[in-house]
Amino acid sequence: MSESWKKTACILCECNCGLEVQLGGEGGGHFTRIRGDKAHPASEGYACEKPHRLDFYQNGPDRITAPLRRKEDGSFEEIDWDTAIAEVTQRLAAIRDEHGGDTIFYFGGGGQGNHFPAAYSAASRRVLGSRYRSSALAQEKTGEFWVGGRLMGEVTRADFEHCEVGIFIGKNPWQSHGIPRARVTLKAMAKDPQRTMIVIDPRETETAKMADIHLQVKPGADAWLLAALGGALVQEDLVDHAWVQEHVDGADDPIAALREIPVGEYSEISGVSEELVRETARRIGKAESVAIFEDLGIQMNRFSTLNSYLNKLLWVLTGNFAKEGAQYIPSYLVSVAGNLKKFGAGGEAKRSPVANKRIIGGLTPCNSIPSEILTDHPKRYRAMIVESSNPAHSMPDSQAMREALSALDTLVVIDIAMTETARLADYILPTPTQFEKAEATFFNFEFPENYFHVRQPLFDPPEGVLPEAEIHARICEVLGAYSDEDLAPLHAALEQGRPAFIPAFFQNVLSNPKLAPLASVILYRTLGPHLPPGMQTAAVVWGLCHQLANKYPESMARAGFDGPSFVAAEKLFDAIIENPSGVVFSIDEPDVSWSRMSTPNGKIQASIPELLQELSTLKDASPGTGSASFPFVLSAGERRSFTANTIFRSPEWRKKDAQGSLRINPDDASELGVHDGDQVRLSTKRGSVEVPVELSVMMQRGHVSLPNGLGLDVSGPEGSQVRTGVALNELTSVDDGDEFVGTPWHKHVPARIEAIA
């Protein structure tokens, strides 16, 4: 195998840093060397330690290389693709015809770097009449999505490269990244005496140690701390009144509520001194620019949606929007938050059919999925398509989720490996890995320069697997969604070249109510074969480029893609397909964010009555930091040096802390009579596990943590299954979640610890 470097990207977090790799090993099917790609527009050669172990994904255990069908005895048998597609389609169509397509539920469509399936599955879902879906975002980000939608009809990101004050709330970028070149950016901020880094976290994380101000909040008390910060801003008159008057509607309501906050009392409840809270509020209020990043530490915690609202009020009331170093609304090819415009215009969320839960960004709350299945309701979910996801392991309350998945009439899993969810399936349809096909991510949030990167395939897929685009196209064709006659004008146009294809596609597909919902698979079938070898699955990007050119023409022109919209779109598509390091597709000025808002009068709508009402309940509430039965608070899912998402199924990739120790404060350990490395029994109301402990001064007393990414069942000797570490969702409950959007409280799980003799 050649030792030349090939371009690709990491798939382990939303940053998707550019990589250069060398291939070799047995059959040339391994990564032998990996480094950062200096030509990548966002990461610029940066890469953390984790992508250096991507071969454990590419050559992971339990790979599936032929379609599988469950037999009556519970085992699986291999079948051919024609049989698999025919039987899957027949079963799903029968459920649609008898009970309605809205009883067919879709879960997935992504992962950190596998986003094309989301586009292609939309076509087969439309044909089947499937209306309800969800993904991992529904247990993390929907509270933030809903608040952003209510405030402005969009979600925001923040400019940490240029901010004077950077605030990380429930976020440890040193390990979880989330911003380009995270460690470089953190170091630059920490070294600059004119800048201030503020961290709000119960743990003394790597990022907290670098911070100028660490507000070490008690577990679960973030709402009281954020309310105290907002109260200090208002009560010390640090509000930018002129800016608020010009750009914000309804500010009087949150200002009045924050004026009544007992800052001293709430600071004490939060575990942070009033003096430090007020010092922090003054630093925020007097800064030229403030950037804020909230993450899972508060988004999967008590009062999670209120937390999102309170932290956004910090930048709304101080005017930190649409300017350098502050919050912005990015350009994007596809919004991962879905359509939030209706919220900015005062619209209501759609509700789930059984539990009647808010559906934000098109995503059914994960906590409600079992109750949407385990019922005799006529509109219960009866079938489920799970794609590039593993809800039996990654969603709250694995016991309840397994029961629900087992109760379905039909479960179809589309994935590369025998996951915990696949073991429950009726059919498993195997796909190439993310490095065996053209693939991309829609996590494109950068500013002022935003980029998109289609990763070119590095390896040939094994015989017997099909890309998701092909699977969904075949499902549509078996269902008779389109015919050869429908595609004939497009094939004929492509014989003349893409300039002729543009009007043919718009006239024959987008103007046809029958075919428009199937645009993605039609592009794959028609344009796909005309793309470079291995790039057929990137055909859907052509349509996205044309949408982008109509939405952001000025931004694209500044990036060099000018001219009439169809010309700019074609230029961009060619650049994306041809450039293995990614392409900057838009360049913006800070104030462009105002034009991207979706409120009726173009102003931020600061009053959210439901959340102001919940704010008023804090005076009688408790952070819930322990009880006689469960005196500890477990943070279930901590990012560490050797944890990542569960596409790393092999435990061998972890060179440190292979079992995933329970981190505990040394004083708590002393009271329990345990030492570093000792085994303890950790119990919650849903289950118990045995786990080794790691004494860590990072943790406050009463607060313990377990890492994410462990507890997978991997095939061992003679067909046995071997589990390494704790499967966190054996300990979590569907009953514990946010009342507004259903995000689970994985970062606040009441727990008990007992020493094992």
Side-chain angles (χ1 to χ4, degrees):
M1 178 67 66
S2 169
E3 294 216 348
S4 63
W5 292 94
K6 299 180 181 295
K7 308 277 192 176
T8 187
C10 182
I11 55 175
L12 297 176
C13 86
E14 69 171 71
C15 291
N16 302 112
C17 297
L19 301 175
E20 291 185 319
V21 300
Q22 288 185 352
L23 312 179
E26 183 180 354
H30 293 262
F31 293 109
T32 57
R33 296 181 67 191
I34 297 176
R35 68 187 184 192
D37 178 9
K38 294 180 180 178
H40 192 268
S43 56
E44 300 174 358
Y46 173 88
C48 72
E49 67 270 21
K50 298 180 186 182
H52 294 280
R53 291 164 178 81
L54 278 168
D55 196 59
F56 286 100
Y57 160 75
Q58 174 60 28
N59 292 282
D62 298 325
R63 183 77 189 269
I64 302 173
T65 56
L68 300 178
R69 175 177 60 197
R70 184 178 295 280
K71 299 191 296 184
E72 287 188 7
D73 64 4
S75 63
F76 287 99
E77 61 182 341
E78 291 190 5
I79 56 177
D80 62 78
W81 272 105
D82 287 345
T83 300
I85 296 294
E87 292 187 4
V88 165
T89 302
Q90 181 182 30
R91 288 181 66 158
L92 294 175
I95 292 170
R96 174 198 63 187
D97 295 343
E98 184 174 353
H99 303 288
D102 52 356
T103 65
I104 301 172
F105 185 59
Y106 178 84
F107 191 97
Q112 297 291 4
N114 198 50
H115 286 185
F116 284 165
Y120 290 112
S121 66
S124 55
R125 290 180 56 237
R126 290 287 187 91
V127 178
L128 289 166
S130 171
R131 297 175 52 211
Y132 297 103
R133 64 183 177 91
S134 195
S135 75
L137 287 172
Q139 69 169 346
E140 300 170 349
K141 300 293 181 181
T142 44
E144 183 179 11
F145 292 169
W146 188 55
V147 173
R150 295 288 294 271
L151 291 175
M152 57 189 64
E154 282 288 356
V155 291
T156 57
R157 298 285 285 193
D159 177 9
F160 287 94
E161 188 174 349
H162 303 104
C163 64
E164 180 182 332
V165 172
I167 306 175
F168 299 103
I169 310 176
K171 175 75 177 170
N172 180 18
W174 189 266
Q175 294 293 7
S176 62
H177 302 279
I179 57 176
R181 305 167 68 244
R183 295 180 181 181
V184 174
T185 301
L186 292 175
K187 289 177 180 178
M189 196 182 306
K191 289 179 180 178
D192 190 337
Q194 303 302 313
R195 305 176 71 192
T196 299
M197 187 195 308
I198 300 170
V199 170
I200 300 176
D201 201 304
R203 303 162 301 148
E204 190 181 18
T205 64
E206 293 87 348
T207 307
K209 289 179 180 178
M210 302 173 69
D212 300 282
I213 300 174
H214 177 202
L215 303 178
Q216 195 168 16
V217 62
K218 289 180 180 178
D222 303 271
W224 285 266
L225 177 60
L226 292 168
L229 278 171
L233 275 176
V234 169
Q235 294 164 29
E236 296 194 20
D237 199 23
L238 297 166
V239 174
D240 188 337
H241 295 285
W243 190 93
V244 169
Q245 177 68 28
E246 182 179 359
H247 295 296
V248 182
D249 275 349
D252 289 346
D253 292 339
I255 287 175
L258 293 171
R259 187 174 290 119
E260 299 303 316
I261 294 296
V263 174
E265 178 185 339
Y266 280 19
S267 298
E268 182 178 359
I269 291 172
S270 75
V272 180
S273 72
E274 179 180 359
E275 179 182 2
L276 186 56
V277 168
R278 291 189 179 277
E279 175 190 335
T280 305
R282 292 173 194 136
R283 186 67 184 97
I284 295 169
K286 295 176 181 178
E288 288 296 320
S289 60
V290 178
I292 302 179
F293 198 135
E294 65 168 83
D295 210 1
L296 306 189
I298 62 167
Q299 292 173 338
M300 303 177 81
N301 213 324
R302 300 179 76 250
F303 296 101
S304 55
T305 302
L306 176 61
N307 288 335
S308 290
Y309 181 46
L310 291 172
N311 94 67
K312 286 173 173 51
L313 287 176
L314 297 179
W315 60 257
V316 168
L317 297 180
T318 55
N320 280 289
F321 176 69
K323 67 179 184 180
E324 187 177 78
Q327 278 57 226
Y328 58 82
I329 299 175
S331 58
Y332 43 73
L333 268 77
V334 175
S335 171
V336 297
N339 184 3
L340 302 178
K341 292 181 179 180
K342 61 184 175 184
F343 299 129
E348 289 296 320
K350 188 169 75 172
R351 298 276 180 160
S352 65
V354 176
N356 195 37
K357 300 297 184 181
R358 281 190 180 93
I359 294 176
I360 308 299
L363 302 174
T364 296
C366 297
N367 271 16
S368 73
I369 291 173
S371 65
E372 303 287 346
I373 298 171
L374 298 171
T375 173
D376 59 0
H377 192 285
K379 285 303 179 182
R380 67 184 182 272
Y381 302 151
R382 296 174 180 267
M384 196 162 163
I385 302 170
V386 177
E387 187 165 51
S388 188
S389 295
N390 189 9
H393 179 272
S394 60
M395 293 298 105
D397 206 329
S398 291
Q399 301 99 306
M401 186 62 70
R402 286 193 296 268
E403 182 185 358
L405 294 173
S406 300
L408 292 164
D409 296 349
T410 298
L411 173 59
V412 180
V413 170
I414 304 173
D415 213 324
I416 70 167
M418 184 62 77
T419 66
E420 288 68 22
T421 305
R423 292 190 179 100
L424 303 172
D426 297 293
Y427 292 88
I428 307 173
L429 308 181
T431 65
T433 72
Q434 296 187 44
F435 298 111
E436 295 169 353
K437 59 181 178 176
E439 195 48 88
T441 173
F442 298 134
F443 292 139
N444 315 113
F445 308 128
E446 306 320 314
F447 194 93
E449 296 184 353
N450 205 357
Y451 76 99
F452 186 68
H453 185 193
V454 170
R455 307 188 307 274
Q456 300 178 1
L458 298 174
F459 305 99
D460 293 329
E463 293 291 332
V465 306
L466 292 178
E468 294 91 339
E470 180 69 26
I471 292 171
H472 291 292
R474 293 191 186 190
I475 289 173
C476 289
E477 288 155 4
V478 169
L479 289 168
Y482 56 83
S483 64
D484 291 342
E485 183 179 348
D486 290 324
L487 304 189
L490 305 178
H491 289 301
L494 280 164
E495 293 301 319
Q496 304 174 51
R498 282 220 314 271
F501 180 70
I502 299 170
F505 186 80
F506 280 79
Q507 178 179 346
N508 291 280
V509 178
L510 296 188
S511 298
N512 184 333
K514 169 192 168 186
L515 299 181
L518 314 176
S520 59
V521 296
I522 290 174
L523 281 172
Y524 171 73
R525 277 287 184 249
T526 56
L527 178 60
H530 293 264
L531 299 181
M535 298 296 283
Q536 185 171 350
T537 56
V540 70
V541 177
W542 181 85
L544 299 178
C545 288
H546 280 271
Q547 291 180 12
L548 191 79
N550 286 312
K551 192 172 184 180
Y552 305 119
E554 296 86 0
S555 301
M556 283 181 58
R558 284 192 289 267
F561 304 105
D562 52 4
S565 63
F566 68 91
V567 172
E570 293 295 312
K571 287 181 182 178
L572 176 59
F573 181 65
D574 284 337
I576 288 172
I577 294 298
E578 295 167 4
N579 194 321
S581 292
V583 174
V584 172
F585 67 79
S586 73
I587 300 176
D588 284 318
E589 299 296 333
D591 63 355
V592 74
S593 291
W594 290 115
S595 66
R596 294 175 182 168
M597 291 183 49
S598 299
T599 57
N601 61 0
K603 291 187 176 185
I604 297 170
Q605 305 299 303
S607 181
I608 303 181
E610 302 97 315
L611 295 176
L612 290 172
Q613 172 60 33
E614 187 170 46
L615 174 61
S616 72
T617 69
L618 291 183
K619 64 181 181 296
D620 299 317
S622 164
T625 52
S627 67
S629 300
F630 298 107
F632 287 89
V633 171
L634 167 67
S635 180
E638 180 187 30
R639 294 288 183 91
R640 300 180 185 174
S641 296
F642 282 87
T643 67
N645 62 54
T646 54
I647 63 170
F648 273 176
R649 294 193 61 81
S650 171
E652 296 178 7
W653 87 274
R654 289 189 296 275
K655 302 303 181 185
K656 297 179 182 178
D657 189 26
Q659 294 295 321
S661 298
L662 179 75
R663 282 182 173 164
I664 184 171
N665 182 277
D667 292 337
D668 284 333
S670 178
E671 282 195 5
L672 291 166
V674 298
H675 304 87
D676 232 18
D678 285 356
Q679 292 284 124
V680 298
R681 181 173 292 104
L682 174 69
S683 302
T684 71
K685 67 181 182 181
R686 291 300 285 149
S688 295
V689 295
E690 293 185 8
V691 61
V693 298
E694 174 192 337
L695 275 57
S696 174
V697 295
M698 172 189 292
M699 308 305 298
Q700 292 187 45
R701 295 209 62 178
H703 188 208
V704 295
S705 70
L706 281 171
N708 69 309
L710 284 84
L712 298 166
D713 295 324
V714 179
S715 292
E718 301 179 1
S720 63
Q721 290 182 12
V722 178
R723 177 176 295 184
T724 303
V726 174
L728 297 173
N729 285 307
E730 301 293 342
L731 302 173
T732 61
S733 171
V734 292
D735 297 327
D736 299 329
D738 181 77
E739 67 170 289
F740 295 103
V741 300
T743 43
W745 293 346
H746 287 355
K747 307 302 183 184
H748 196 280
V749 181
R752 180 174 63 252
I753 301 171
E754 300 163 281
I756 297 176

